[in-house]
Each structure stands twice: as structure tokens, then as C-alpha cells.
Amino acid sequence: MLKKPPYLPGAAAALVPLLALGLTACGTQSGDGSGPGDGSGSVRPDVPVTGVHWTVESVTVDGRKTAAPAGAHVRIDTKGRAMGNFGCNHFNARATVEGDTITLSDAGMTEMGCPEPLQGFEDALKSTLTGKLKAELTDGKLTLTTPDGDAIRLGEQPPAPLVGTTWTVDSLVSGRAATSLPAGTEGKASFVFGKDGSVRGNLGCNQFSAPVTTDGSTLTFGRVTSTRKLCPGPAMELERALLNTMKGKVTYVIDHRSLTVTAPGGTGFAAAAESGAKGAR
């Protein structure tokens, strides 16, 4: 049977300068009562956006609304740093918050090649998540709006447990580097860890199942059984990569709603939790 897994922070992907999103709040201060600008006490924005995992739900540009892919998110900590995912590449960021206005500047993100339609969504999100944005929080939904009226809609979501969550593979990893999936296989591979000590799902081509146990931050896969359907080259390439990872003991890390599984040689894969998807067995 699976033991209750630990919740562990994930290692950030290697970053290159591009967009940064953190939080340095400017607003009402508490302290000696002398008001803003005295440098005492703590600062607090009018819109509470820190310490929350914001899942991107959609981006609206020039009146056209596009639903976000699984895994797109923004998280801002209380120390003025943030990280997230544009839908394909990871980013790390800074921002200045004053009242209900968030001003984004500076930049850093990974440079993984992204297929369509992920690339199109990522470009739209990057171009919108910059400059001065008006923040509005209503019923747990955060809307960031540009001066031109473009908008990002985000929702608050709890951490995903290892067991019972549907995990969709979104990238392959080698060491600290992440690479995109073979063309045409996006969203094809997914799996669920069951309460009965099993894992079941799709490898990108064939259905599979295997016994699995957890011990701390490790998973130990037993013999994988699968169907034997032949698929186009990219699907089989993805399947081979996943099967090569699911051999014996591997390490895993859950970063809120992202799962990374790594074999002893440093290769592996990353997966995102599907919103609201459960599949406990």
C-alpha cells in the first residue's frame, strides 16, 4: 500500500533573463503610526496575493479569450519573490504592489521549445503579464487587467496529493534541464496513483499499470504491464522515455500541483495536476 507521501518543495528549473515577477509591496504600513514612507513595520497591499498558488484559468487579448493549459500558474511568496509557469516554460519574477496595482519588471524564464498551441498561449500570457496591472479579487478569483483592457484570470487552488490526482506529463527532464515533449504528444500521457499501491494510466500510446510503493521521497515501481498498440514515432519516443524512468527506485518531488519524477541517472519527467481531477482507486 502507498504510504502518505511527503509534501516537498520542487527544485526550480535553470533560468535565463526575460520576465521576473516577485512582490515588493508598497501601501499601508503598520508600525509607529507615522504612515507610508517611514520605513518602519510591515507593508501590505490592498489585494492579498501573496502565499497563494494562483492557477491561470484564461488570458483575454484584444477581446479573444483563451483557456490556459494545465500547469500554468503564478505563486508569490511573502519575501517578494515569485515563480510560476507560462503553460510551457517556467519563470521566476519580481513585482511592485501599490494599492491594487501590480507593476511587473525585470525578467527570467527557461528557454524550452514549445509546440502549438502552447507557444501561442505562452506568448499571450508573457505579453500580458508585464507593466502596470490592476488587480481585483472576487470570490477567490484574481483578475489582472492591463491599461488596454487585456486580462488574466486566475483561481486559487489547494496543493495536489500524490494519490488520487490525475497527473498529466508536460515535459521531460535531464538533470536541471527540461525539454518539451515529442511533437504531437502533448496531453497524451497521464496517470493516477491509487490507494491500493498501484499506478495506472497512459504512456502516450499504450495503457499501463504497475505496482508502486513510496518511502519518504522515493517511489519504487514494480513490473509495468501495458497494451501493445503501435503508434507513430513521437508517441513511442515518449512512451520509451517514461518506461525508462519507471524502473525500480526513483525520486519524486511535489511542488504544490507539479510532480517531478527522476531516475538515478538524472533523467525523468514532470507532470501537472489536472484541475479538479481525481482518480483514487
Side-chain angles (χ1 to χ4, degrees):
M1 299 293 290
L2 285 173
K3 301 177 184 178
K4 184 177 180 181
Y7 176 71
L8 300 172
L15 299 174
V16 297
L18 182 59
L19 172 80
L21 172 61
L23 185 66
T24 305
C26 303
T28 304
Q29 296 193 23
S30 61
D32 62 7
S34 58
D38 63 358
S40 63
S42 61
V43 291
R44 184 172 56 197
D46 290 350
V47 180
V49 297
T50 61
V52 177
H53 179 99
W54 296 106
T55 295
V56 180
E57 297 181 350
S58 65
V59 174
T60 301
V61 177
D62 295 331
R64 181 178 179 180
K65 182 178 179 180
T66 304
H73 68 276
V74 178
R75 188 176 63 202
I76 305 171
D77 65 24
T78 57
K79 296 181 180 180
R81 298 298 305 170
M83 62 183 66
N85 187 288
F86 286 131
C88 179
N89 279 286
H90 297 276
F91 70 89
N92 146 345
R94 287 179 188 270
T96 299
V97 176
E98 185 170 7
D100 62 353
T101 299
I102 301 176
T103 304
L104 305 182
S105 60
D106 302 332
M109 64 176 285
T110 56
E111 288 188 320
M112 184 169 63
C114 308
E116 293 295 348
L118 292 181
Q119 187 63 62
F121 177 86
E122 179 158 292
D123 291 342
L125 182 56
K126 283 192 299 182
S127 65
T128 307
L129 198 62
T130 186
K132 289 190 175 182
L133 301 171
K134 190 68 68 176
E136 181 180 356
L137 184 61
T138 305
D139 297 329
K141 301 292 184 180
L142 176 65
T143 301
L144 302 177
T145 306
T146 71
D148 294 331
D150 295 336
I152 305 168
R153 178 81 165 173
L154 308 100
E156 181 178 356
Q157 286 194 321
L162 177 69
V163 176
T165 297
T166 298
W167 298 100
T168 300
V169 178
D170 57 13
S171 63
L172 300 177
V173 299
S174 180
R176 291 179 59 84
T179 60
S180 54
L181 300 179
T185 65
E186 299 80 12
K188 301 293 186 181
S190 63
F191 50 89
V192 177
F193 291 95
K195 293 181 179 179
D196 61 353
S198 69
V199 58
R200 295 181 174 88
N202 191 293
L203 295 165
C205 174
N206 286 286
Q207 300 290 325
F208 82 99
S209 65
V212 63
T213 57
T214 63
D215 183 10
S217 61
T218 66
L219 296 168
T220 302
F221 290 93
R223 181 174 179 271
V224 176
T225 59
S226 70
T227 55
R228 297 185 177 182
K229 183 173 61 174
L230 292 178
C231 297
M236 298 307 295
E237 180 184 348
L238 172 60
E239 185 163 302
R240 285 192 295 270
L242 298 182
L243 287 173
N244 284 337
T245 300
M246 296 179 184
K247 290 181 178 179
K249 183 177 289 188
V250 301
T251 59
Y252 81 99
V253 171
I254 294 179
D255 181 10
H256 201 85
R257 300 185 68 82
S258 298
L259 169 69
T260 302
V261 179
T262 310
T267 59
F269 60 86
E274 290 188 5
S275 299
K278 294 289 180 181
R281 297 175 186 273

